[in-house]
C-alpha cells in the first residue's frame, strides 16, 4: 500500500507589477493597511502590514517575500484565497510572521497554500486546501524553519509537510485524504526534524507520520477514523526515505488498526528504501483495533519504557515484546511500569569502630514505581564486622571489612575499620614507687581511642588530619586497604637524660638554676598495623589528663612540682596538680616530658623563707634562657652573694641522690 506521493508543483508566476512610490515601508514604521492584491504584491520593504479587506489571488500569480525582508502580516480576520490552480498563494524566503489578531482569518487555496524556504512563524489563523489529487496546505522546505502556534489546518491531502525544522505548538490539523483518492496522504508528515507539543492531529489515511529524520512528540491527540475502513495508523514511523527515529513522551493515540506502527519491511515499493526505524516510548496511551503497537520484524525497533497499551480498550499484552530492559507490563491496567533500581546509597561511606561497638547503616533506594526496593546487607569479613538484615553492624575484631547494601543490580558499600582499644599504662597511688611512674586514667584513654578512630576515618575518606604526619597518613591508608589490624599503643616510661638527648637540654634550660629535673618521661601514642609500628598520634583535638606517681623520697615541705613538655623542639611549662604522691597535668601533644621541682629559697638578709612565685605556662614558642650548669652563679652584678645557698642546695641534692640510689639498689635486690 502506498502511504505518500510527492506532489509535483507547477512553476508559479511571480507578481511583476511596477512598484509605486511610497507603498513600501521601512522597518520600525507603523502598521500599513492592505486592501488589494496590488498593494499586497508591492510590499518591497521590511515592516508590519495588516489586511483590511479580503483578497483573491488568481491562478498564475504567487506572492513572494524575498530573503532580505522581515515581514509581519496580520490577517486581521480577513480571507486570502486562491480558488483555482496548483500554485501556492505565498512563498517566503525571508523572515515572516503571520498573525491573526481577530481569530477569524483564513488562507484558502485549491491545492497549495503556503511554502516556506526561510524563517516563518504562524500565530493562529485557519489554512484550507481542497484538492484530492495531491497538494500541501503548508510546506516547510529543506533549510526552512517553521513554528506553528495554535494554528488550524483543514486539508484534503497533506495538512503539513516538513522537510526542514518545525515545531507545532497546540492547534488542530486534519486531513480527509484516504486511499480512495487518486493521491493519499497522512495529515502531517515529517522528513527531517519535528517536535509536536500538545497538538491535535487527525486523519483517515493516517494522522502523524515520519519517513526520515527525527520526530519528537510531547503530548496531544492523534487519531484516525474508527468508522472508516480506509483508516490507518495514528502514529507511523518508518524509514521509507531515510533512517528515522522517534521519541514519544506522551499523548493519546487511537486507530482502528495499529495505534502506532514502527518500521516497514514491504518490498513492493510501499516500504520505500526500508531503512531502520527506531522509536523510544516514554509515555502516552495507545489504543488500537488490531493492536496498540506494532514493530516491523526487520526494520522496526520499538523500545517501550512507559505508557498504557490497549486493544479495543482492554490491556494489550502485545507490548511485552517491545519492553526495554527493566520494565514490566501490568496485565490488569495495560500500563508499562519502571521496575529498575537506579541507585542505592548509604548514609555513610566509612566508619571506624572499636571491638564491641555497633552502628546502624541506613540505605536509601531510588527506582521506578514497580521496582523491588528490598535491601540485602552483607559483610566481606564477618569476623571483623558482622551485619544483620536491618543494617546493624557489630565490630568484632581489629581489621577491615566492606559492608555492602544491594537492591536489584545496584549496590553501595561502607568501609568499616575496626581499631583495637588502647590499653594505657595506669598508676596505683597505693603502691610505692622508687621512680616517677607515668600513666593515663581511663577517661583519657577513651579520648585517645576516639581520636584515633576519627583520624582513621578521615584518612579512609580521603582526608588529611593534622594529628599525624603525611608518612603516617599514607601508612594508615595502606593498612586499611590491606585489611590490617590497626591499633594504638600508649607508651609511657621513664628515660635517662642521655636517652632524652637534646630534649633534656631544652628542659634543663627552661627549668633554670632553681629548677631540678626529677625524671625524664617519654609518653608516646604509637599506631600499629598487625602489631608493627607505622607512626604516632602526635596531637589531640583537646587536652587529656596524664598522671604521674611521685616517689615519697621526692616529696618534701616547701617543694613545688611542674612538668616541662618538649614537643617539636619547643619546651613549655605545664602546671601539675599534686594530691599526695599522685600528680595530674593536661596535655594535647606527646613526646618528651620532664617532671621538675623547685624548693623554696631562703630570704636574703635573714627572716623567714619565701615560697617561689608559681610560674605560668610558657607561650607556645618561649624564648629559652641561657643554659647554666648546676651550681653556677647568675650574672646579677653581686658575684658570690648566693654561694652559701648554692652549696647548701648541692649538699641537699647529693643527700637525695644517695638516698634514691640506696632505695633503687635495695629495690633491685629484692
Amino acid at each position: 500500500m502506498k502511504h505518500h506521493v510527492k506532489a509535483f508543483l507547477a512553476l508559479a508566476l511571480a507578481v511583476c507589477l511596477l512598484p509605486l512610490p511610497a507603498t513600501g515601508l521601512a522597518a520600525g514604521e507603523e502598521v500599513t493597511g492592505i486592501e488589494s492584491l496590488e498593494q499586497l504584491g508591492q510590499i518591497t520593504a521590511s515592516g508590519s502590514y495588516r489586511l483590511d479587506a479580503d483578497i483573491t489571488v488568481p491562478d498564475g500569480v504567487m506572492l513572494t517575500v524575498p530573503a532580505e525582508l522581515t515581514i509581519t502580516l496580520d490577517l486581521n480576520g480577513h480571507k486570502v484565497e486562491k480558488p483555482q490552480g496548483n500554485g501556492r498563494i505565498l512563498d517566503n524566503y525571508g523572515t515572516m510572521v503571520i498573525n491573526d489578531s481577530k481569530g477569524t482569518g483564513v488562507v484558502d487555496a485549491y491545492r497549495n497554500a503556503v511554502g516556506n524556504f526561510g524563517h516563518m512563524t504562524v500565530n493562529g489563523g485557519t489554512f484550507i486546501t481542497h484538492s484530492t489529487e495531491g497538494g500541501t496546505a503548508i510546506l516547510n522546505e529543506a533549510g526552512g524553519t517553521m513554528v506553528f502556534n495554535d494554528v488550524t489546518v483543514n486539508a484534503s491531502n497533506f495538512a503539513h509537510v516538513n522537510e526542514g525544522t518545525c515545531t507545532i505548538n497546540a492547534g488542530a490539523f486534519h486531513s480527509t485524504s484516504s486511499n480512495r483518492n487518486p493521491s493519499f496522504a497522512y495529515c502531517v508528515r515529517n522528513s527531517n526534524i519535528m517536535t509536536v507539543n500538545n497538538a491535535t492531529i487527525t486523519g483517515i489515511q493516517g494522522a502523524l507520520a515520519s519517513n526520515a529524520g527525527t520526530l519528537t512528540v510531547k503530548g496531544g491527540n492523534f487519531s484516525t477514523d474508527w468508522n472508516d475502513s480506509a483508516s490507518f495508523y495514528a502514529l507511523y514511523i518508518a524509514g521509507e526515505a531515510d533512517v528515522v527515529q522517534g521519541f514519544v513522551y506522551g499523548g493519546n493515540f487511537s486507530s482502528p488498526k495499529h495505534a502506532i506502527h514502527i518500521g516497514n519491511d514491504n518490498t513492493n515499493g510501499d516500504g520505500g528504501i526500508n531503512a531502520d526505524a527506531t522509536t523510544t516510548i516514554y509515555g502516552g496511551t495507545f489504543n488500537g483495533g488490531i493492536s496498540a503497537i506494532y514493530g516491523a520484524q526487520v526494520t522496526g525497533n520499538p523500545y517501550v519504557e512507559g505508557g498504557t497499551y490497549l486493544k479495543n480498550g482492554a490491556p494489550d499484552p502485545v507490548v511485552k515484546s517491545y519492553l526495554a530492559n527493566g520494565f514490566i507490563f501490568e496485565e490488569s491496567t495495560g500500563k508499562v511500569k519502571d521496575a529498575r533500581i537506579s541507585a542505592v546509597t548509604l548514609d555513610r561511606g566509612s566508619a571506624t569502630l572499636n571491638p564491641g561497638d555497633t552502628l546502624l547503616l541506613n540505605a536509601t533506594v531510588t527506582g521506578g514505581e514497580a521496582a523491588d526496593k528490598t535491601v540485602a546487607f552483607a559483610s566481606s569479613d564477618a569476623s571483623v564486622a558482622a551485619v544483620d538484615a536491618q543494617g546493624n553492624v557489630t565490630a568484632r575484631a581489629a581489621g577491615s571489612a566492606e559492608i555492602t547494601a544491594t537492591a536489584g543490580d545496584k549496590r553501595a558499600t561502607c568501609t568499616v575499620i575496626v581499631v583495637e582499644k588502647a590499653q594505657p599504662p595506669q598508676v596505683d597511688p597505693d603502691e610505692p614507687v622508687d621512680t616517677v611512674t607515668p600513666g593515663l586514667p581511663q577517661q583519657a584513654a577513651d579520648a585517645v581511642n576516639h581520636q584515633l578512630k576519627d583520624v582513621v576515618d578521615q584518612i579512609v575518606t580521603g582526608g588529611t588530619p593534622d594529628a599525624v604526619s603525611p608518612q603516617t597518613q599514607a601508612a594508615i591508608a595502606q593498612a586499611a586497604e590491606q585489611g590490617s589490624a590497626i591499633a594504638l599503643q600508649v607508651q609511657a616510661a621513664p628515660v635517662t637524660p642521655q636517652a632524652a638527648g637534646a630534649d633534656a637540654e631544652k628542659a634543663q634550660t627552661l627549668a633554670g638554676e632553681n629548677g631540678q629535673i626529677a625524671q625524664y618521661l617519654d609518653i608516646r601514642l604509637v599506631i600499629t598495623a598487625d602489631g608493627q609500628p607505622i607512626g604516632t598520634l602526635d596531637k589531640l583535638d583537646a587536652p587529656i589528663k596524664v598522671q604521674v606517681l611521685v616517689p615519697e623520697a621526692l616529696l618534701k615541705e616547701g617543694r613545688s612540682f611542674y612538668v616541662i613538655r618538649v614537643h617539636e623542639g619547643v619546651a613549655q611549662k605545664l602546671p601539675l596538680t599534686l594530691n599526695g604522691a599522685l600528680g595530674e597535668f593536661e596535655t594535647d601533644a606527646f613526646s618528651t616530658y620532664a617532671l621538675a621541682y623547685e624548693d623554696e629559697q631562703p630570704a636574703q638578709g635573714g627572716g623567714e623563707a619565701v615560697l617561689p612565685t608559681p610560674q605560668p605556662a610558657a607561650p607556645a614558642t618561649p624564648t629559652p634562657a641561657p643554659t647554666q650548669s648546676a651550681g653556677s652563679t647568675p650574672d646579677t652584678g653581686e658575684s658570690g652573694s648566693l654561694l652559701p645557698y648554692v652549696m647548701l642546695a648541692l649538699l641537699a641534692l647529693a643527700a637525695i641522690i644517695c638516698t634514691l640510689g640506696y632505695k633503687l639498689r635495695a629495690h633491685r635486690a629484692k
Side-chain angles (χ1 to χ4, degrees):
M1 178 185 358
K2 191 168 184 179
H3 291 281
H4 70 278
V5 177
K6 185 171 180 73
F8 295 93
L9 302 178
L11 180 63
L13 299 176
V15 178
C16 298
L17 301 174
L18 290 175
L20 298 177
T23 56
L25 291 178
E29 293 185 5
E30 295 182 356
V31 177
T32 300
I34 301 295
E35 296 184 354
S36 66
L37 176 64
E38 289 76 15
Q39 286 180 296
L40 190 60
Q42 293 167 9
I43 297 175
T44 59
S46 298
S48 297
Y49 299 86
R50 180 189 66 244
L51 292 184
D52 287 340
D54 293 345
I55 294 177
T56 299
V57 180
D59 187 16
V61 174
M62 182 170 62
L63 305 172
T64 301
V65 175
E68 66 272 14
L69 295 189
T70 298
I71 298 295
T72 298
L73 177 63
D74 182 3
L75 297 178
N76 194 29
H78 288 284
K79 181 177 184 180
V80 179
E81 63 177 341
K82 191 173 191 177
Q84 296 180 358
N86 294 330
R88 289 188 288 270
I89 294 175
L90 171 70
D91 269 359
N92 172 61
Y93 292 88
T95 300
M96 187 172 188
V97 177
I98 298 177
N99 295 324
D100 180 24
S101 60
K102 293 187 177 179
T104 55
V106 176
V107 178
D108 189 334
Y110 173 69
R111 184 164 182 166
N112 301 286
V114 174
N116 176 60
F117 299 81
H119 307 280
M120 177 176 279
T121 300
V122 184
N123 300 312
T126 299
F127 296 77
I128 302 172
T129 59
H130 303 276
S131 173
T132 60
E133 299 179 353
T136 302
I138 302 176
L139 171 66
N140 186 40
E141 286 279 7
T145 58
M146 287 202 75
V147 177
F148 294 96
N149 295 313
D150 204 17
V151 175
T152 299
V153 182
N154 291 310
S156 295
N157 206 60
F158 286 111
H160 173 57
V161 171
N162 173 60
E163 296 178 355
T165 301
C166 176
T167 300
I168 299 176
N169 298 315
F173 295 73
H174 179 68
S175 172
T176 58
S177 177
S178 75
N179 59 14
R180 290 187 292 266
N181 301 327
S183 174
F184 49 91
Y186 271 71
C187 179
V188 173
R189 188 189 73 189
N190 171 61
S191 298
N192 197 2
I193 300 174
M194 174 180 280
T195 300
V196 179
N197 298 311
N198 297 310
T200 296
I201 300 177
T202 58
I204 297 174
Q205 183 65 29
L208 177 61
S210 186
N211 65 1
T214 301
L215 173 65
T216 302
V217 181
K218 298 180 179 180
N221 295 287
F222 311 87
S223 65
T224 56
D225 192 343
W226 282 67
N227 297 317
D228 194 322
S229 60
S231 288
F232 277 82
Y233 318 124
L235 179 60
Y236 176 58
I237 300 177
E240 296 176 350
D242 203 344
V243 173
V244 63
Q245 59 181 348
F247 301 94
V248 181
Y249 293 90
N252 298 305
F253 302 83
S254 176
S255 166
K257 289 186 171 60
H258 307 298
I260 177 172
H261 188 293
I262 302 170
N264 190 334
D265 294 344
N266 293 346
T267 57
N268 60 0
D270 179 70
I273 67 171
N274 301 117
D276 284 342
T278 302
T279 300
T280 304
I281 303 173
Y282 301 100
T285 299
F286 304 85
N287 184 30
I290 297 176
S291 70
I293 182 172
Y294 173 80
Q297 185 174 359
V298 176
T299 61
N301 302 288
Y303 297 94
V304 177
E305 297 187 6
T308 300
Y309 298 83
L310 308 172
K311 178 181 178 181
N312 294 309
D316 187 0
V318 70
V319 72
K320 291 192 288 186
S321 300
Y322 310 117
L323 292 177
N325 290 335
F327 292 83
I328 62 171
F329 176 71
E330 190 173 69
E331 300 279 354
S332 61
T333 64
K335 291 182 178 180
V336 169
K337 293 186 174 182
D338 188 354
R340 298 172 301 175
I341 299 295
S342 56
V344 178
T345 58
L346 288 170
D347 56 346
R348 58 192 304 159
S350 68
T352 305
L353 307 174
N354 292 135
D357 288 350
T358 59
L359 171 70
L360 174 62
L361 289 177
N362 295 299
T364 301
V365 180
T366 56
E369 59 178 335
D372 181 0
K373 299 179 181 179
T374 303
V375 178
F377 289 94
S379 172
S380 64
D381 190 343
S383 66
V384 173
V387 63
D388 65 14
Q390 287 72 44
N392 293 294
V393 178
T394 301
R396 290 180 171 171
S400 176
E402 294 288 333
I403 306 299
T404 302
T406 303
D409 61 349
K410 305 297 180 182
R411 62 181 56 196
T413 60
C414 174
T415 301
V416 175
I417 309 294
V418 181
V419 178
E420 284 289 357
K421 285 185 177 181
Q423 300 301 321
Q426 296 181 338
V427 295
D428 184 358
D430 296 328
E431 181 180 345
V433 294
D434 54 12
T435 187
V436 179
T437 304
L440 292 183
Q442 188 58 49
Q443 186 178 12
D446 292 341
V448 170
N449 279 316
H450 181 75
Q451 176 130 3
L452 177 63
K453 291 195 295 182
D454 283 348
V455 165
V456 173
D457 204 41
Q458 289 180 57
I459 292 172
V460 170
T461 56
T464 55
D466 295 333
V468 293
S469 68
Q471 294 79 7
T472 303
Q473 293 175 25
I476 290 174
Q478 182 178 9
E481 185 177 352
Q482 295 174 348
S484 300
I486 300 174
L488 184 69
Q489 295 179 359
V490 181
Q491 299 178 356
V495 295
T496 64
Q498 292 76 16
D503 288 350
E505 295 180 9
K506 293 181 182 294
Q508 184 63 61
T509 298
L510 184 60
E513 64 180 40
N514 295 328
Q516 300 296 325
I517 306 298
Q519 183 70 61
Y520 291 101
L521 307 170
D522 186 28
I523 304 178
R524 306 271 176 178
L525 305 179
V526 179
I527 303 171
T528 64
D530 290 336
Q532 298 301 313
I534 59 174
T536 57
L537 184 61
D538 300 323
K539 189 170 178 59
L540 299 180
D541 291 337
I544 62 169
K545 289 184 178 181
V546 177
Q547 294 178 334
V548 289
L549 192 59
V550 181
E552 293 286 345
L554 282 179
L555 301 174
K556 62 176 291 188
E557 188 72 26
R559 177 170 291 175
S560 61
F561 288 86
Y562 56 92
V563 173
I564 298 176
R565 179 181 68 190
V566 183
H567 183 70
E568 295 180 348
V570 177
Q572 181 180 1
K573 285 186 178 181
L574 304 177
L576 179 72
T577 301
L578 199 60
N579 182 13
L582 182 64
E584 284 189 340
F585 66 94
E586 289 191 343
T587 184
D588 59 358
F590 296 90
S591 53
T592 300
Y593 292 83
L595 177 64
Y597 63 87
E598 292 182 7
D599 291 323
E600 61 183 10
Q601 300 297 315
Q604 297 183 20
E608 296 182 358
V610 179
L611 293 176
T613 303
Q615 300 185 27
T621 309
T623 303
T627 303
Q628 297 172 345
S629 60
S632 63
T633 303
D635 186 8
T636 63
E638 298 180 5
S639 177
S641 62
L642 297 179
L643 182 58
Y645 303 107
V646 172
M647 296 300 294
L648 287 173
L650 285 173
L651 290 174
L653 179 60
I656 292 172
I657 292 173
C658 290
T659 303
L660 283 176
Y662 172 78
K663 287 193 174 184
L664 281 171
R665 286 193 298 271
H667 179 73
R668 290 184 183 127
K670 290 180 181 179

